[in-house]
Amino acid sequence: MKTLCTLLAFIILSAFSTAVNRPVEKVDLNKYAGKWYSLYSIPTFFDKGSRETTTTYNWDTKGYYDVLTTYKKQNDEEVHTYKSKLFQVEGSNNSEMKAQFIWPYKVDYWIIELGDDYSYVVVGHPDHKFLFIMSRKPSMDKKLYDEIVARCKAKGYAVEKLTSQNHNG
């Protein structure tokens, strides 16, 4: 009976408590640089219908990342690319950035979760407009994925809209 009451209390408290959607405390720009596999995302205009997406971040001495994104379209084996830039937001310890796909427009890019070893990252938006779960490898442990999804749901993201990038790794 005690276990049932504890479980019931946990469910009720979970239903009324929402984790705050905010960026992590600090990001090391050198450790963040490099290649990331986009494993799951709430699709945006730029990545809707894409698969096997990778994004490579190269720190530019001018103070931003030059970003190269590669992907394939559904039912197409041709590799497509586009370039963008990622600017740090001053005073955010590099956890808040601005992505620029088309000059001069910039979009909020928040790092809301980051593995201690920089093996995975979750990128979100202050208004929950998009969500990316990325890894240094083309796959992720299912338990870790499920835990990330649960935390993102608690932060208010529409995780039922997550789609797989279909990496075969």
Side-chain angles (χ1 to χ4, degrees):
M1 184 66 171
K2 182 179 178 183
T3 304
L4 181 60
C5 289
T6 304
L7 180 59
L8 190 57
F10 176 76
I11 291 170
I12 291 169
L13 288 174
S14 296
F16 293 108
S17 66
T18 302
V20 177
N21 181 39
R22 71 173 135 221
V24 297
E25 287 196 26
K26 184 177 182 179
V27 175
D28 181 313
L29 294 173
N30 291 321
K31 288 181 181 179
Y32 194 77
K35 184 175 182 176
W36 291 94
Y37 292 85
S38 180
L39 302 180
Y40 299 90
S41 66
I42 295 176
T44 67
F45 172 77
F46 287 102
D47 66 339
K48 197 169 199 162
S50 66
R51 64 186 173 88
E52 298 180 45
T53 302
T54 64
T55 307
T56 304
Y57 299 84
N58 291 305
W59 186 250
D60 189 293
T61 55
K62 295 175 187 157
Y64 57 83
Y65 285 112
D66 281 315
V67 183
L68 177 65
T69 301
T70 65
Y71 64 98
K72 294 179 182 177
K73 295 179 180 177
Q74 298 300 333
N75 304 317
D76 180 3
E77 289 304 311
E78 182 182 349
V79 176
H80 302 271
T81 63
Y82 63 86
K83 294 180 180 182
S84 60
K85 294 179 181 178
L86 188 62
F87 299 88
Q88 53 190 132
V89 172
E90 197 164 324
S92 71
N93 286 324
N94 307 320
S95 61
E96 292 181 40
M97 299 193 205
K98 297 277 188 178
Q100 184 177 63
F101 299 97
I102 301 170
W103 185 87
Y105 304 103
K106 293 180 183 172
V107 176
D108 288 311
Y109 176 110
W110 280 9
I111 299 172
I112 62 169
E113 193 168 322
L114 182 62
D116 292 338
D117 59 356
Y118 286 68
S119 61
Y120 77 91
V121 65
V122 182
V123 176
H125 185 273
D127 297 326
H128 305 91
K129 290 182 179 180
F130 57 77
L131 184 69
F132 296 93
I133 300 172
M134 301 188 297
S135 174
R136 294 294 188 176
K137 298 177 183 176
S139 64
M140 176 181 280
D141 177 73
K142 177 154 177 31
K143 182 178 184 244
L144 175 59
Y145 169 76
D146 290 342
E147 291 169 352
I148 291 170
V149 169
R151 288 189 294 268
C152 290
K153 183 176 183 175
K155 292 176 184 179
Y157 287 91
V159 296
E160 65 278 0
K161 294 181 180 178
L162 281 170
T163 60
S164 172
Q165 283 284 315
N166 299 314
H167 286 280
N168 297 321

